[in-house]
Amino acid sequence: MSYSPPSWYPPGQAPPSGRRSRRDRGLIALAVGLALLVAAVAGAGWYGYGADRARPAAAPRTSAPASASPALPTTGPSRAPGTRELAAARRPGEAAAWIADDSTDLPRRDLRVHEPWIVGDTVVQALHREVTAYRLSDGAEVWNLTLPTPVCEAPANPTPEGRIVVVLATGEAQRGARCDRFQLIDLLSGRTGWMKELLRDPARDTPALLVDTAISGDTLAVAEGVTAAVYRVSDGRLLHRVPAENPGRCHPHKVAGGSRLLVVAVCALGVDRRATYSQLRELDPRTGAVRWRHRTPAGRQVERMVSVDPVVYTSMDNDRRAQDWRIVALGPRGELRRTIDPRAKGFEHCSGVGLDTGLQPCPGILVAHGLVHVGGTDRVGAYDLATGKLAWGVQNHDGRVLTPVGSPSPAGTVVHESATAGRPGRTFLLGRAGANREKVLMRHPAAAAGAEYSALMGRVLYVGGRILLTPPTVSGDDARRQPRVVSFAPAAD
């Protein structure tokens, strides 16, 4: 397989137009009043009201490394090639690969894939009622946990000790179930801890429809509709509630975690959406004390959190949405440092994967070494956070998605180039001097091209020199099954 190297375009030269359009599957714009706000974010795959009772969570199962997969069938349900099949089909110079598939019976609809999380030497993923850990080295299933009901929300990152709190629906139905049951899971062992209905309030009839969660240290922040609270991960105890501010006009709406706890509030809701704006607060996770506040201009909102340290987020116009987006960098006290408009170079918001209800993650945008790296269809580049100017950029012309996935040093950026329906992708290191400094790290195997392509628009992680791909959704239709995880690593030979 031969590849055409991307061509350099300098900061003063705009790239050609004609990039591929994508379906925007997420949030409707902020609507009139609080009721319409809740209704708008309700359309992003969450569960509604219901009254099914929970069953005790099952203990995880552990598995030995997978055995050789049978030959591909000529009829019947589709399947991904097994790890041994990929090894046998690998050509000289191609990367080693494994594919994690699962024969679990799923509802016949598209199901959201939650994260993955990297914990120790495993990658962990939640899908429907299953949470599964796969060994990074070969994709073997390490443990699997079956939950009583589907997962409808999960934080982007676990605690430093490898614990996560997922939000479960109250029933199996796609409609008519609340999202208010919280389950602690140890991602190292696959064992469950406490389970609580944290959002159940006997004094109100409003169900928990929209839940956004984030973990910072040993604290879990939960935003539901236009309220938010912080709990202790270890035991689920309420630590503090996040108040509305200004006065009562800024209602907490989304949360982001990691080394900082950030809360986004939606402010000045009313008939005129041009007056609505977002407020961003950093809180002390344990006490709730506000460390700083930042607000967007009227008519714009915080959309996705790119980084919490330094704080870098994307903003959008309330009406034009992804057609009018920016990258905003803040200083250590929440002061505005830089606003960057990547649209002139043809970059897409979060690599064009669409909008969602949560703040994290923002696929396709990476902050490292004072640069914000931006990817998208046919192009990848980096802007200097100190100046806001384009430091470098490259593009190709074959419709592939270029995703910055790591920056091991200020001199280079690791980029994943997506597969097409018939051609595999690759991973390369791009120096700041452009295409002439390109170094191929992995040529992905042709035998895995179909599986790699099926993960397009999902998550791309670069872990210890290994690429991990997970699709955004998995179909429950056996005739078009997708692999859960696709992984590539430099071959030993």
Side-chain angles (χ1 to χ4, degrees), residues 39-328:
V41 290
W46 299 86
Y47 292 83
Y49 184 78
D52 290 355
R53 301 296 299 172
R55 299 186 299 273
R61 70 171 187 261
T62 57
S63 302
S67 59
S69 300
L72 287 173
T74 56
T75 59
S78 63
R79 59 174 293 279
T83 301
R84 292 191 184 181
E85 289 173 293
L86 291 174
R90 186 167 62 88
R91 302 168 183 172
E94 290 184 337
W98 57 258
I99 295 176
D101 201 3
D102 193 338
S103 59
T104 302
D105 188 28
L106 298 173
R108 292 178 63 86
R109 61 177 185 264
D110 288 339
L111 301 164
R112 179 183 173 186
V113 176
H114 296 275
E115 292 323 305
W117 304 283
I118 305 299
V119 182
D121 62 351
T122 64
V123 53
V124 187
Q125 180 186 80
L127 173 64
H128 191 49
R129 294 175 53 205
E130 304 286 324
V131 183
T132 309
Y134 303 99
R135 195 159 54 213
L136 285 172
S137 59
D138 58 8
E141 185 182 293
V142 178
W143 56 261
N144 173 277
L145 175 66
T146 300
L147 297 167
T149 55
V151 177
C152 51
E153 161 61 10
N157 53 278
T159 69
E161 298 78 25
R163 292 178 295 182
I164 203 80
V165 178
V166 299
V167 189
L168 304 181
T170 53
E172 289 276 0
Q174 189 177 12
R175 296 283 186 266
R178 294 185 303 270
C179 280
D180 61 5
R181 185 166 301 148
F182 290 71
Q183 175 68 71
L184 176 67
I185 302 173
D186 185 334
L187 298 183
L188 289 171
S189 66
R191 298 197 174 277
T192 57
W194 55 264
M195 177 187 283
K196 295 184 178 182
E197 295 177 344
L198 296 180
L199 302 180
R200 183 65 59 84
D201 185 353
R204 65 174 187 173
D205 295 328
T206 305
L209 295 176
L210 304 170
V211 183
D212 185 35
T213 61
I215 284 177
S216 181
D218 188 42
T219 61
L220 168 72
V222 180
E224 181 227 340
V226 289
T227 63
V230 177
Y231 303 85
R232 193 161 57 196
V233 171
S234 56
D235 58 9
R237 185 173 73 86
L238 175 68
L239 295 177
H240 54 87
R241 299 193 181 278
V242 180
E245 289 190 339
N246 190 25
R249 296 186 65 211
C250 289
H251 302 271
H253 178 45
K254 298 181 182 179
V255 289
S259 59
R260 285 174 163 160
L261 176 59
L262 304 176
V263 176
V264 172
V266 59
C267 306
L269 277 167
V271 175
D272 184 7
R273 288 188 296 181
R274 305 311 306 165
T276 301
Y277 63 94
S278 290
Q279 180 203 65
L280 180 62
R281 280 177 271 177
E282 181 186 0
L283 303 184
D284 181 300
R286 293 189 174 276
T287 68
V290 178
R291 292 174 174 168
W292 50 257
R293 294 174 178 86
H294 163 82
R295 61 162 289 177
T296 66
R300 300 194 69 85
Q301 68 181 75
V302 175
E303 183 61 37
R304 290 287 187 99
M305 195 61 54
V306 176
S307 167
V308 299
D309 189 15
V311 175
V312 179
Y313 69 86
T314 66
S315 75
M316 283 189 177
D317 182 89
N318 288 348
D319 292 321
R320 291 170 54 80
R321 307 297 289 147
Q323 297 176 15
D324 186 357
W325 71 285
R326 304 287 190 277
I327 297 173
V328 181

Side-chain angles (χ1 to χ4, degrees), residues 337-352:
R337 180 185 179 191
R338 191 67 56 195
T339 299
I340 298 169
D341 186 353
R343 296 175 301 163
K345 297 302 181 185
F347 292 113
E348 300 159 289
H349 180 260
C350 298
S351 279

